[in-house]
Amino acid sequence: MLTPRRIKVFLCDLVLISLALCLAFLLRFDFRLAPAELELLKDCLLVVLVVKPLVFITVGFYQSLWRYASLQDGIEIFKGISFSTILAVTALLFLRQFTPLPRSIFVLDWFLLFALVAASRLVWRIYRESCITGKPCGGQRTLIIGAGEAGSLLLKEIRRQPHTSYNVIGFVDDDPEKRGMKLHGVPVLGVSRQLRALIMAHEIEEVIIAMPSANGKIIKPIIDSCKNANVTFKTLPSINELINGKLTVSQIKNVEIQDLLGRAPVVLDRELIGDYLTGKRVVVTGAAGSIGSEICRQVADFQPDKLILLEQAETPLYEIEKELTLRFPGLRVVPLVADVRDREKIFEAFEEYAPEVVFHAAAYKHVPMMEYNPTQAVLNNVFGSRNIADAAHYFRIRNLVMISTDKAVNPTNIMGASKRAAEIYIQALSRTSSTKFTTVRFGNVLGSNGSVIPLFKEQIAKGGPVTVTDRRIIRYFMTIPEATQLVLQAGSMGRGGEILVLDMGEPVRIVDLAEELIRLSGLTPYEDIDIVFTGLRPGEKLFEELLIDGEGILPTTHGKIRVLTPVQVEMGPVKAELELLYDASRKNRVHELMASLKRLVPEFKPAYSFTGEAPLIFQRVRPDLFPPLLAEKAKILPLKK
């Protein structure tokens, strides 16, 4: 599109083309031009002023931004000027076939024009950074932690802003080779252990952590130093967030709890994943949930032929469908309102859309809520999974990946037992199926719906208190993108029937998580915001496990994925027990359901504990005060006060 700026650049280039040729003639003839040489100059000017501007327009000289002039722009200028010079010389030789043309003129012309055009592209950037945005500003005195690539990009971007709120005083970096050096004219003042002293000495008001790949062990001491010096601190997005976009000042964000628990970025074998996703028809169940929606985003990056979003909740399904169609306009997205418990609907959907890969993420996951609703947990998590697995087997789908949980290991609650039952059925089915069934087992996901982080943030915003069930309780945590990326990788590695376990890192005490989140909010735990311990909720354990007795753990080709040697499961007994479990669930007979679930999952040992009086539904009651069914349910639920 023709704009005033591009017209000015074009006119400037016309002047430079003329100037370069005139200087080339003057240098060639020692600044003394005879009439014949002046005539030759006029003819050459006429040709180059036609040929070279046309070439410049064709190669896209006027689509670049001067303020971002870089080495790549220099390479493009080199190519464009070389090509235009060759065409101009060819045209002159053709037009003046019988007139000798000194070849040195065109060498000089090429060199001079390249120097002039390159300089013109850089001069505005130099002027802008040195004389406009490079001047000390009235923004907050700022230190950047990390004098690497991210720090360099951040400083450049800050300087490009006409009214930036940051006045960068220096860098802090632990690399000994950078001590005393300067990056873009800004000194490296010291190392991170000196941070508090540097903040005080240079009257720093804000610290930006420009180390997107650093883990929590590195970032936490930096944040502690900032807190001790009473300055604000922010960070850049993770490497995964920076990959797809240019760094901007707007990406600077407050430090989140995820940054403190940060883990090394997941390295994916994209070729292996692409082999089973690119160009394929993919179904994601539970597509609007925390994990399911992120699986959809990750799968969409691999350009499947069609992405079918299977979800029972209409409004969340609408939101994820809208997001995907906006982000991936070339992708065929099919939003399908369906319940995994509806066996007939699932088979109809698989027949109509003929998927080749299925990610089964639909499940009820809230442990205490499922204790109150055991029949629904079983119908959804066990028999919904059976419907999906049976449809995959019947239609010979290539891959099915089921999302499981560490709560399925030696479960003490209905949710965990139901997920373990689903694992058992899928392992049994895989022995006779052409479909590659893979189960992926991992722990808690930071930021997922119903997780502790959103709850703690809400409680802090209301002034507290923050509620933690037990001071001793610990959990494994992953971020949503990390978990889903590893799910995709695991799906590409499964051979059929395996349970893959993701590397969850070190377990974290929930109370430590709560305390750190309060500090990140600028408050003091137990002073500004109290922490109250409420006791374990129904079905909760103090810690989660990843292995069941009899399961061995073996490494895989991916450093963050382990494979469990499966416990051999025969379909006959499993199928017979599932029929009893289904009948008990449909008739809401909780006593029979619990007995059946224990036979199916022998390691299932319900154990509830409460501080204070147990919730009404878990209290033992007098049968004469309640209808028979309710009395039956109240009596059979185990209770330890």
Side-chain angles (χ1 to χ4, degrees):
M1 185 173 70
L2 200 62
T3 64
R5 185 192 69 82
R6 293 182 180 181
I7 292 172
K8 290 176 184 177
V9 176
F10 178 74
L11 294 176
C12 178
D13 284 348
L14 290 179
V15 173
L16 295 179
I17 290 168
S18 303
L19 181 60
L21 187 61
C22 291
L23 285 174
F25 266 84
L26 290 172
L27 290 171
R28 171 62 180 79
F29 294 108
D30 298 325
F31 291 88
R32 292 191 297 271
L33 297 180
E37 290 147 1
L38 279 171
E39 188 66 28
L40 179 60
L41 173 59
K42 291 177 184 178
D43 292 345
C44 290
L45 268 176
L46 182 64
V47 172
V48 298
L49 285 172
V50 172
V51 174
K52 291 189 178 182
L54 288 174
V55 173
F56 286 8
I57 293 170
T58 303
V59 298
F61 268 23
Y62 307 108
Q63 296 174 354
S64 298
L65 297 173
W66 288 16
R67 70 172 65 179
Y68 302 119
S70 63
L71 178 61
Q72 185 58 42
D73 291 293
I75 294 171
E76 295 303 317
I77 290 169
F78 175 86
K79 293 177 181 178
I81 288 175
S82 299
F83 183 54
S84 67
T85 299
I86 292 170
L87 285 183
V89 170
T90 302
L92 283 167
L93 290 173
F94 177 77
L95 294 172
R96 300 180 63 91
Q97 297 181 36
F98 304 105
T99 304
L101 295 171
R103 285 171 292 180
S104 58
I105 287 176
F106 302 111
V107 175
L108 288 168
D109 174 59
W110 176 89
F111 179 81
L112 290 167
L113 184 57
F114 176 74
L116 289 170
V117 172
S120 72
R121 297 304 191 267
L122 292 173
V123 69
W124 171 245
R125 175 175 172 179
I126 293 170
Y127 170 74
R128 192 174 189 276
E129 292 188 0
S130 301
C131 302
I132 302 176
T133 58
K135 292 181 180 179
C137 63
Q140 291 185 313
R141 295 174 65 83
T142 303
L143 272 183
I144 296 177
I145 310 297
E149 185 66 27
S152 171
L153 290 172
L154 177 60
L155 177 59
K156 290 178 181 178
E157 183 59 26
I158 287 173
R159 286 179 165 178
R160 288 179 185 134
Q161 305 302 314
H163 304 292
T164 180
S165 59
Y166 302 103
N167 179 15
V168 180
I169 302 302
F171 286 92
V172 172
D173 199 288
D174 288 339
D175 186 347
E177 294 185 3
K178 294 177 182 176
R179 294 181 190 176
M181 306 296 286
K182 290 186 177 182
L183 181 60
H184 306 306
V186 176
V188 178
L189 299 175
V191 295
S192 59
R193 67 173 178 271
Q194 303 170 325
L195 181 57
R196 188 174 185 278
L198 292 171
I199 290 171
M200 304 301 290
H202 295 275
E203 299 179 351
I204 299 301
E205 299 170 275
E206 184 134 26
V207 171
I208 302 175
I209 303 168
M211 299 186 296
S213 60
N215 59 32
K217 292 181 180 178
I218 296 173
I219 291 177
K220 193 174 187 305
I222 294 172
I223 291 174
D224 290 340
S225 297
C226 293
K227 289 175 183 174
N228 292 334
N230 198 28
V231 297
T232 58
F233 48 91
K234 295 184 178 180
T235 188
L236 295 181
S238 68
I239 285 291
N240 291 330
E241 294 175 281
L242 289 175
I243 286 172
N244 295 324
K246 174 181 166 291
L247 176 62
T248 65
V249 171
S250 64
Q251 289 176 293
I252 299 171
K253 62 184 181 71
N254 292 327
V255 175
E256 299 282 353
I257 196 72
Q258 289 91 330
D259 300 314
L260 298 182
L261 300 174
R263 293 140 62 84
V266 176
V267 179
L268 297 178
D269 186 341
R270 295 186 66 86
E271 183 177 351
L272 192 62
I273 297 173
D275 284 345
Y276 88 108
L277 290 182
T278 302
K280 302 298 192 300
R281 297 176 298 278
V282 180
V283 164
V284 179
T285 72
S290 305
I291 300 299
S293 61
E294 185 63 23
I295 289 176
C296 292
R297 297 181 192 102
Q298 300 282 349
V299 169
D301 276 333
F302 288 90
Q303 300 177 336
D305 175 61
K306 186 183 294 183
L307 183 56
I308 298 100
L309 317 180
L310 196 151
E311 172 64 55
Q312 64 166 331
E314 178 203 17
T315 300
L317 178 60
Y318 165 77
E319 294 295 337
I320 185 62
E321 188 262 346
K322 180 175 66 173
E323 177 190 335
L324 292 172
T325 52
L326 287 174
R327 285 183 57 185
F328 305 95
L331 176 63
R332 292 195 291 170
V333 178
V334 180
L336 186 61
V337 178
D339 191 327
V340 294
R341 293 175 294 184
D342 187 343
R343 186 176 180 86
E344 185 176 346
K345 177 64 177 177
I346 293 301
F347 272 73
E348 286 177 358
F350 277 42
E351 182 178 23
E352 180 176 356
Y353 296 106
E356 297 163 273
V357 180
V358 176
F359 291 95
H360 178 42
Y364 288 149
K365 64 177 185 177
H366 297 292
V367 170
M369 187 174 293
M370 291 305 101
E371 295 304 293
Y372 295 121
N373 300 276
T375 58
Q376 294 306 304
V378 168
L379 288 172
N380 192 73
N381 293 356
V382 180
F383 295 105
S385 298
R386 185 179 71 171
N387 292 340
I388 296 293
D390 286 350
H393 168 68
Y394 182 82
F395 292 104
R396 299 181 180 272
I397 289 168
R398 179 181 170 188
N399 291 79
L400 184 145
V401 181
M402 186 183 81
I403 310 300
S404 191
T405 171
D406 55 0
K407 293 172 182 62
V409 180
N410 300 323
T412 59
N413 51 69
I414 290 289
M415 194 282 279
S418 66
K419 293 297 288 184
R420 177 57 187 154
E423 289 182 358
I424 290 170
Y425 181 75
I426 283 178
Q427 282 187 307
L429 182 60
S430 69
R431 299 185 66 183
T432 58
S433 178
S434 61
T435 300
K436 290 198 296 184
F437 290 98
T438 304
T439 300
V440 182
R441 191 188 286 167
F442 56 86
N444 297 273
V445 178
L446 283 171
S448 63
N449 296 332
S451 67
V452 294
I453 299 301
L455 173 62
F456 287 169
K457 285 184 175 180
E458 180 183 344
Q459 291 173 335
I460 292 169
K462 292 179 178 178
V466 170
T467 57
V468 177
T469 54
D470 192 287
R471 187 180 292 275
R472 300 164 296 167
I473 195 167
I474 60 174
R475 290 290 183 265
Y476 293 97
F477 283 99
M478 303 182 83
T479 64
I480 293 176
E482 180 183 18
T484 52
Q485 287 168 8
L486 288 174
V487 165
L488 262 60
Q489 188 71 72
S492 69
M493 300 165 61
R495 297 182 179 178
E498 309 99 328
I499 296 177
L500 299 176
V501 177
L502 305 187
D503 173 14
M504 300 297 298
E506 295 297 321
V508 178
R509 286 205 317 162
I510 300 298
V511 66
D512 293 341
L513 207 62
E515 290 173 356
E516 201 58 56
L517 200 57
I518 293 170
R519 293 190 188 99
L520 288 176
S521 302
L523 302 168
T524 303
Y526 307 107
E527 293 181 13
D528 301 318
I529 299 288
D530 197 13
I531 297 178
V532 176
F533 298 96
T534 59
L536 291 176
R537 296 176 298 175
E540 282 191 323
K541 294 192 286 187
L542 286 174
F543 62 93
E544 302 293 354
E545 305 158 90
L546 293 174
L547 293 178
I548 294 171
D549 289 342
E551 290 179 330
I553 189 164
L554 300 171
T556 67
T557 55
H558 195 283
K560 289 195 172 188
I561 300 175
R562 301 289 183 269
V563 62
L564 304 182
T565 53
V567 178
Q568 296 300 318
V569 181
E570 295 293 336
M571 177 57 85
V574 170
K575 193 171 183 180
E577 193 60 60
L578 282 178
E579 292 305 316
L580 296 176
L581 181 62
Y582 183 72
D583 185 62
S585 302
R586 293 293 295 171
K587 295 176 180 177
N588 205 33
R589 292 177 179 170
V590 181
H591 179 72
E592 294 177 15
L593 178 150
M594 295 287 285
S596 179
L597 204 53
K598 286 179 182 179
R599 290 192 296 270
L600 189 61
V601 184
E603 63 272 19
F604 175 36
K605 292 179 174 58
Y608 308 138
S609 62
F610 306 97
T611 57
E613 192 174 18
L616 178 62
I617 195 171
F618 287 94
Q619 295 179 27
R620 298 189 184 279
V621 296
R622 289 172 54 195
D624 58 315
L625 299 180
F626 290 86
L629 182 59
L630 181 57
E632 178 192 19
K633 285 195 288 184
K635 285 189 294 183
I636 58 86
L637 287 171
L639 172 65
K640 293 183 181 179
K641 269 195 173 182

